[in-house]
Amino acid sequence: MSRCMDLALSASGRVAPNPMVGAVLVYNDHIIGEGCHEHFGQAHAEVNCLNSVKPEDRHLISQSTLYVSLEPCSHFGKTPPCTELIINHNIPEVIIGCRDPFKLVNGSGIQQLQENGISIKVNVLREACENLNKRFFTFHKKQRPYVILKWAQTADLKIAAGNEERLFISNECTNRLVHRWRMEESSILVGTNTAIADNPALNNRFWTGKNPLKMVLDLSLRLPSSLHIFDAPEPVIIFNGIKQEQQDHQLYYKINDTDHLIPAIMEACFLLHIQSIIVEGGTKLLQSFIDFNCWDECRVITNHSLFLNDGIAAPIFSHKHFIREETYSTDRIQYFVND
């Protein structure tokens, strides 16, 4: 099962909104096939695993055990159900890491295999398998995206200068890491003031892989069209309180209940099938997520050699559990999860 998870992780950033899944076929304690779900819309892990079996070993499939990190699908989506594939290959035993929370699966894959006489064992390294797809599980269980808060602060806990001058806090190495984080998430969100002050591109140009979907909160639609966030052809969602319409690559999504902003954004993202968000500022927007207790992870970058004395204070948060710390020259990165 550990090998299944390693295989699944190798496709990180390429399969969302599908989950990362790995599969291993074992005969007499020897792996004869393995694979993962490599790209969204393409073959699932079970298919790639069975296709990897060498011609001279294919007669062993019906005598082997299939390990898979997530319950096999039992419905027609972009690909046929994997349960049928397993049944048609007469695989006698399937070991499953955890159940799939998606409503079209959620136990039906296990039931279908059992009804066809296949021996099933579930919840092998369950916690680790669920954590592997924490974004997918959060989206389907809580009906909202997985939320990661991220900010950089000075040694005296300032997130920005008090004037209009942009303040560069994190170093080059940390910036590359942040761009890798962006690649791993479905979307990235900033507020109006951050969009104006920093004019960010919100892409992952310092890392390989897809760019996140750009989103900005602009309730009164006061952001100028010249900002990088509106650069074509990359799509952008503008959460606002005025209009609902599509203009080329720009989706204006109207928030009707601006008094309950965070729940409204979460509902919108769920309806738009956005599975994860990395929120990168500013302080007001970050604090709104914290105050509503709508976050799953927080990543705080502190430049311990930079003091500002005067400026905009960093967010304040509780309900946190410290996980680990990393140091990159002048920068210390602390990782928290929501208790």
Side-chain angles (χ1 to χ4, degrees):
M1 193 59 69
S2 293
R3 178 58 181 164
C4 288
M5 288 187 283
D6 289 342
L7 290 165
L9 273 173
S10 68
S12 176
R14 301 199 304 268
V15 301
N18 283 356
M20 296 179 287
V21 184
V24 170
L25 190 67
V26 176
Y27 174 77
N28 279 355
D29 295 329
H30 293 284
I31 293 176
I32 63 171
E34 61 180 28
C36 69
H37 180 35
E38 297 177 356
H39 295 277
F40 174 70
Q42 297 184 11
H44 287 187
E46 297 91 331
V47 176
N48 289 329
C49 175
L50 293 180
N51 286 343
S52 75
V53 179
K54 296 178 181 178
E56 61 268 27
D57 290 334
R58 297 198 66 82
H59 69 285
L60 300 175
I61 293 177
S62 61
Q63 306 170 54
S64 300
T65 298
L66 178 67
Y67 290 78
V68 60
S69 56
L70 187 70
E71 176 183 4
C73 66
S74 54
H75 67 290
F76 280 89
K78 291 186 176 295
T79 61
C82 291
T83 50
E84 287 191 5
L85 178 74
I86 295 167
I87 293 166
N88 292 338
H89 278 81
N90 297 313
I91 296 174
E93 183 178 26
V94 178
I95 310 297
I96 298 169
C98 61
R99 282 176 57 148
D100 187 336
F102 181 44
K103 62 182 180 180
L104 294 181
V105 186
N106 198 14
S108 64
I110 294 170
Q111 181 180 352
Q112 191 175 109
L113 294 175
Q114 289 175 326
E115 289 174 348
N116 282 271
I118 296 173
S119 175
I120 300 294
K121 186 175 182 180
V122 189
N123 295 332
V124 175
L125 299 183
R126 179 186 60 81
E127 186 175 345
C129 287
E130 290 181 352
N131 188 62
L132 174 71
N133 284 300
K134 54 194 175 184
R135 296 160 181 81
F136 180 79
F137 273 77
T138 297
F139 184 80
H140 288 287
K141 286 188 172 183
K142 298 184 177 181
Q143 297 194 333
R144 68 160 174 83
Y146 190 87
V147 177
I148 299 172
L149 308 181
K150 168 263 167 183
W151 69 82
Q153 61 188 20
T154 62
D156 53 349
L157 308 183
K158 305 299 181 183
I159 198 172
N163 51 37
E164 295 183 356
E165 182 179 351
R166 185 174 184 181
L167 176 65
F168 293 92
I169 297 177
S170 52
N171 62 39
E172 182 179 348
C173 184
T174 304
N175 284 339
R176 284 182 55 82
L177 179 60
V178 168
H179 282 236
R180 191 189 83 183
W181 293 347
R182 292 178 177 180
M183 180 274 297
E184 295 170 343
E185 307 311 326
S186 302
S187 64
I188 182 170
L189 173 66
V190 296
T192 307
N193 292 336
T194 297
I196 292 174
D198 295 347
N199 191 17
L202 300 185
N203 58 27
N204 56 297
R205 60 195 177 277
F206 298 144
W207 199 267
T208 58
K210 66 173 183 61
N211 290 318
L213 172 65
K214 296 181 292 186
M215 304 193 299
V216 61
L217 179 63
D218 183 17
L219 290 178
S220 58
L221 293 180
R222 63 186 178 94
L223 292 178
S225 60
S226 58
L227 293 177
H228 289 315
I229 196 171
F230 299 120
D231 289 348
E234 293 182 347
V236 58
I237 297 175
I238 303 102
F239 292 114
N240 70 94
I242 298 173
K243 64 180 180 179
Q244 176 86 28
E245 63 180 60
Q246 180 83 47
Q247 292 183 4
D248 298 322
H249 65 290
Q250 300 174 0
L251 171 62
Y252 290 86
Y253 196 103
K254 185 178 179 182
I255 299 295
N256 294 313
D257 188 0
T258 56
D259 290 333
H260 299 87
L261 192 58
I262 301 305
I265 292 175
M266 293 295 95
E267 180 183 13
C269 289
F270 182 75
L271 293 174
L272 292 168
H273 305 287
I274 297 169
Q275 202 171 94
S276 65
I277 304 174
I278 183 165
V279 184
E280 291 202 8
T283 296
K284 184 177 179 180
L285 181 61
L286 289 162
Q287 195 67 55
S288 294
F289 275 91
I290 293 168
D291 292 345
F292 194 73
N293 197 27
C294 184
W295 62 279
D296 300 286
E297 289 185 38
C298 185
R299 302 168 184 177
V300 182
I301 303 166
T302 304
N303 184 334
H304 55 76
S305 67
L306 178 62
F307 292 82
L308 195 59
N309 297 319
D310 187 25
I312 300 173
I316 300 172
F317 69 121
S318 57
H319 305 290
K320 62 185 184 293
H321 177 67
F322 176 74
I323 297 297
R324 70 182 191 279
E325 182 178 297
E326 299 170 349
T327 301
Y328 298 89
S329 183
T330 59
D331 295 347
R332 180 181 77 245
I333 305 177
Q334 294 177 301
Y335 296 82
F336 303 89
V337 294
N338 198 344
D339 286 340

